[in-house]
Amino acid sequence: MSILTGNHNGVLRIVFNRADKKNALTAAMYEALNEAFDRAAGDPAIKALLFAGEGGVFTSGNDLQDFLASPPRGIEAPVFQFLRNLAHCPKPMVAAVQGFAVGVGTTMLLHCDLVYAADDAKFALPFTSLGLCPEAASSFLLPQIAGYQRAAEKLLLGEPFGAEEAYEMGFVNKIIPPSEVLAHAMRQAEKLAALPASSVRVTKRLLRDTHRKAIAERMDEESTLFADMLGGPAAREALNAFMEKRRPNFSSID
Ligand code: COA
């Protein structure tokens, strides 16, 4: 099972479990994640969600091989459904990040309510170097959280950055030693689960409501562009280069 789920004290723990591929997310894994959201929505015993990864890695993002073999066609694809589930989840979401959190591994954190990162966490938004564009409404949320220039640096250059910088940017609550990050995140999620559920839900709704419409619109716009660009020459070159373990050559591509 590449996605592990289990309810512990009112917290639905959702764990990316594909360590040999750095927990890269396939369409089948997005479908399993979407089922986990359905389960959380339908079960009043689930009061909070917690995301984590196995093997000392959060996730290396979309599986690039899977993207090449079966690219998402339109905004109803499982990956884009997952992003909408993140944006609309009424229950609080907590993340425990260790190691790599690439692409959606970083953008999904912008939708989580509490984010704890190990000091070895490494974030990256390599969309331009993949011939793609931002997703998960990150082109809206990151400037809002971190300020325009910092967001532009991360989204235009796509270079990796560490936990300290993510904390300074404002999307990590606290940096924790790697051996303690999951337990700490779990304790925080259990605290949320022990509070009156309606009060937590209403508070989250009020916190998120101001930009709900803008986030949904930007997410759909990004998803459409992203799906189109995935079929374009730059993304084909970047994805093939990754699979062939070589540097991409964009010199003759617009
Ligand atoms: N999609 C598909 N396969 C991936 C993957 C991804 N996103 N991330 C890692 N893998 C695979 C590698 O191809 C490799 O497979 P192999 O053992 O069959 O050769 C295996 O997972 C281990 O990865 P490797 O690159 O050897 O690990 P590393 O520690 O040197 O580097 C990363 C880790 C995350 C920095 C690197 O794998 C990477 O850059 N991955 C791509 C990230 C990305 O661009 N994500 C998409 C964002 S939209």
Side-chain angles (χ1 to χ4, degrees), residues 20-22 24 60-65 100 102-103 126-127 130 242 245:
D20 59 323
K21 294 287 178 188
K22 306 286 173 187
S60 62
N62 293 302
D63 184 303
L64 298 177
Q65 187 165 19
F100 291 108
V102 184
F127 301 115
L130 290 168
F242 178 76
K245 299 191 189 293

Side-chain angles (χ1 to χ4, degrees), residues 2-3 18 21 23-33 59 61-67 70 78-79:
S2 302
I3 299 292
R18 197 178 168 225
K21 294 287 178 188
N23 298 333
L25 298 167
T26 60
M29 288 165 76
Y30 284 119
E31 276 170 16
L33 290 166
T59 165
N62 293 302
D63 184 303
L64 298 177
Q65 187 165 19
D66 199 47
F67 258 9
S70 41
V79 54

